[in-house]
């Protein structure tokens, strides 16, 4: 601002010192903010009415801003900024324009970015004394530029991380424009192609020879069918001679005449993924072969052991009957021990055969009434249920697609298991329940397919139970939580159940506590995978 005692001939603030009113009117009507700075007074002496549109201040308010301009300048060091600008303005050549960006606070509190252009107006003693400037609000364009730069940076980082690059072709061009990422995929230096343009024949020269015809045929088909997307995989030999697997994805644009006008897409190096997939497939094939050989071995070995065991049992029984008196007490004891051991071995082999069959598709799956299965199982266990004075409650069970023999084995093993581990002072109670599984619980079990519908079955008893930490162990082959002298069995019953459930694309688990009984739950699909429920 001018000092109060300044001479009358001094330039008045917010008024031009010359008489060209036409010039003042022109400046007032400028679409940009126009201002004049007196470098001697270090003050604004003119500003046009655009200050209201750009910064929200009236002309009266703008007059007060002359004294406190620093209050609306957004900068970390306003004093240093002011000194730097004054120095620059004083020495600015007459034929040059000083251009800079400055952030100013709008009346509503928002920050606006203004691009300033200043030129010298009056010079005295070799230094400029007045500067005229224009300011343009570039806040939105600056934000867009920053966002664009950020997006470009992120895209470049993504290309490095994912080993990919983008490309574009337009009908008026004879080549494809590549991003830096695509040059990296092909091990080419972008410096060799300053305009980032690659002719198609150059691209085709990298295609693996056996894939060239496939690529050409695909392109012909794409053009003839006017497909909206390009989706192609092929191999290349990069500039360093390395074989790579490439995936191309692009959006195709056709003009009104049906001619291809533009292609925009990405190309990704999937060599590592291909290597992992090949290695995984190789290991899966080896594992499948090993499992098949193991199952075949277990089946054959168990089957071949049956005949010698039958002979041991048969000859033991003959010895006991025919030479019982001659054997004496000790001989009879040895014969009994031998026969019992042979019978246990026979039971173990039978269970091994069942376990082996559980993972073999010996019969096709078909609609099976589990009510009929449960009825047959209870008939098989009728004597044991009566001896135990047990109560077995069974819900109305559904019909599912399954293997009849294996469903019989599954329910037989679980109910028989419940009847085995009972409390001596309590009548056994076994409950077989079923309900439709909910989607959240299906999603919570990784082994189940969320696009499939399942039934959840439970077999609950009031027996001796087990400690919760053994809930997984009890399904392992030959695992027993109790000695053979306490409870009979081979340790294969629950392992067979798991095999059966898993072969039907289901899941089985257990819950229990000591003295509080056990509950086995298993999920079976309503129908086979690939058939909607």
């Amino acid at each position: 601002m001018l000092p109060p005692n300044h001479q009358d001939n001094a330039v008045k603030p917010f008024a031009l010192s010359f008489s060209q009113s036409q010039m003042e009117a022109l400046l007032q009507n400028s679409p940009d903010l126009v201002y004049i700075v007196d470098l001697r007074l270090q003050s604004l002496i003119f500003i046009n009415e655009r200050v209201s549109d750009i910064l929200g201040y009236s002309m009266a308010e703008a007059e007060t801003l002359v004294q406190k301009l620093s209050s609306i300048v957004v900068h970390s060091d306003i004093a240093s900024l002011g000194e730097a600008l004054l120095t620059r303005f004083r020495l600015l050549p007459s034929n040059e324009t000083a251009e800079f960006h400055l952030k100013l606070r709008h009346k509503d509190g928002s920050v606006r970015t203004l691009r300033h252009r200043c030129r010298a107006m009056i010079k005295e003693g070799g230094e400029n004394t007045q500067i005229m400037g224009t300011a343009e609000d570039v806040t939105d364009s600056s934000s867009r530029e920053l966002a664009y730069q950020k997006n470009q940076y992120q895209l470049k980082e993504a290309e490095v991380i994912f080993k990919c690059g983008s490309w574009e072709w337009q009908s008026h061009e004879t080549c494809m424009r590549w991003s830096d990422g695509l040059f990296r995929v092909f091990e080419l230096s972008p410096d060799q192609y300053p305009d980032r343009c690659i002719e198609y024949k150059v691209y085709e020269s990298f295609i693996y020879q056996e894939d060239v015809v496939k690529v050409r045929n695909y392109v012909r088909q794409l053009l003839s069918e006017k497909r909206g997307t390009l989706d192609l995989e092929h191999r290349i030999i990069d500039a360093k001679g390395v074989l790579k697997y490439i995936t191309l994805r692009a959006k195709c644009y056709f003009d009104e005449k049906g001619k291809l006008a533009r292609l925009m897409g990405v190309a990704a190096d999937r060599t590592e993924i291909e290597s992992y997939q090949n290695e995984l497939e190789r290991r899966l094939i080896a594992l499948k072969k090993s499992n098949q050989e193991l199952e075949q071995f277990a089946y054959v070995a168990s089957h071949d052991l049956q005949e010698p065991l039958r002979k041991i049992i048969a000859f033991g029984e003959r010895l006991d009957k025919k030479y019982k008196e001659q054997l004496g007490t000790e001989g009879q004891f040895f014969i009994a021990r031998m026969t019992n051991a042979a019978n246990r071995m026979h039971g173990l082999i039978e269970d091994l055969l069942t376990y082996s069959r559980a993972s073999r598709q010996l019969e096709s799956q078909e609609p099976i009434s589990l009510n009929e299965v449960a009825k047959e199982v209870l008939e098989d266990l009728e004597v044991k249920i009566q001896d135990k004075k047990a109560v077995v409650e069974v819900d109305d069970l559904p019909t599912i697609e399954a293997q009849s023999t294996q469903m019989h084995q599954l329910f037989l093993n679980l109910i028989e298991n419940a009847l085995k581990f009972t409390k001596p002072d309590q009548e056994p109670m076994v409950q077989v329940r079923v309900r439709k599984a909910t989607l959240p619980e299906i999603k919570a079990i990784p082994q189940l397919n969320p696009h499939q519908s399942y039934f959840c079955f439970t077999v609950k008893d009031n027996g001796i139970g087990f400690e919760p930490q053994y809930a997984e162990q009890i399904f392992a082959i030959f695992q027993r939580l109790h000695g053979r002298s306490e409870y009979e069995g081979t340790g294969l019953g629950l392992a067979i159940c798991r095999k059966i459930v898993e072969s039907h694309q289901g899941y089985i688990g257990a819950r229990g506590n000591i003295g509080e009984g056990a509950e086995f739950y298993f999920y079976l699909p309503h129908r086979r995978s690939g058939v909607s429920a």
Side-chain angles (χ1 to χ4, degrees), residues 103-119:
K103 293 182 182 295
L104 298 177
R105 194 171 302 281
H106 193 278
K107 186 179 179 180
D108 64 10
S110 62
V111 176
R112 311 300 295 177
T113 300
L114 274 62
R115 179 169 60 195
H116 297 256
R117 295 184 178 91
C118 299
R119 292 183 69 91

Side-chain angles (χ1 to χ4, degrees), residues 11-225:
V11 179
K12 295 181 180 180
F14 298 95
L16 293 174
S17 60
F18 42 83
S19 59
Q20 291 93 331
S21 58
Q22 295 90 346
M23 181 62 72
E24 184 175 356
L26 179 64
L27 295 179
Q28 287 291 2
N29 292 324
S30 172
D32 293 330
L33 178 66
V34 180
Y35 57 90
I36 297 176
V37 179
D38 191 301
L39 300 179
R40 295 167 300 179
L41 301 176
Q42 298 183 18
S43 174
L44 285 170
I45 60 173
F46 174 80
I47 192 166
N48 70 350
E49 294 177 356
R50 281 287 288 156
V51 69
S52 299
D53 299 326
I54 295 178
L55 295 175
Y57 300 100
S58 66
M59 290 298 291
E61 290 172 325
E63 290 186 20
T64 64
L65 292 177
V66 173
Q67 297 175 327
K68 51 177 183 178
L69 190 60
S70 61
S71 64
I72 65 169
V73 176
V74 180
H75 195 274
S76 59
D77 190 348
I78 296 176
S80 298
L81 173 66
E83 288 296 326
L85 288 176
L86 284 172
T87 301
R88 185 178 181 186
F89 290 158
R90 289 191 183 104
L91 303 177
L92 184 66
S94 300
N95 60 345
E96 288 188 13
T97 300
E99 185 172 329
F100 57 93
H101 287 71
L102 190 64
K103 293 182 182 295
L104 298 177
R105 194 171 302 281
H106 193 278
K107 186 179 179 180
D108 64 10
S110 62
V111 176
R112 311 300 295 177
T113 300
L114 274 62
R115 179 169 60 195
H116 297 256
R117 295 184 178 91
C118 299
R119 292 183 69 91
M121 282 186 61
I122 301 175
K123 185 185 293 285
E124 291 182 7
E127 284 191 356
N128 300 321
T129 58
Q130 287 187 8
I131 292 288
M132 185 174 74
T134 61
E136 176 188 2
D137 187 354
V138 294
T139 305
D140 294 338
S141 59
S142 295
S143 299
R144 288 194 295 269
E145 178 65 22
L146 288 173
Y148 174 76
Q149 291 176 0
K150 182 179 179 180
N151 288 338
Q152 287 298 106
Y153 173 78
Q154 291 174 338
L155 284 173
K156 288 181 179 180
E157 289 296 303
E159 286 186 349
V160 173
I161 294 171
F162 294 105
K163 295 184 177 180
C164 65
S166 60
W167 54 278
E168 181 181 6
W169 173 86
Q170 298 190 57
S171 58
H172 65 272
E173 295 180 331
T174 59
C175 58
M176 300 180 288
R177 295 189 180 275
W178 283 13
S179 69
D180 289 345
L182 201 50
F183 280 99
R184 280 191 293 270
V185 170
F186 281 75
E187 293 292 348
L188 288 172
S189 172
D191 297 336
Q192 299 175 358
Y193 304 88
D195 55 359
R196 297 294 195 274
C197 282
I198 300 291
E199 293 184 2
Y200 180 77
K201 64 180 181 181
V202 176
Y203 174 82
E204 191 174 86
S205 68
F206 287 97
I207 299 177
Y208 190 65
Q209 192 61 38
E210 295 180 6
D211 292 350
V212 171
V213 174
K214 179 183 80 171
V215 174
R216 289 176 178 173
N217 290 339
Y218 180 88
V219 172
R220 290 194 195 98
Q221 191 172 7
L222 179 143
L223 294 175
S224 65
E225 297 177 2

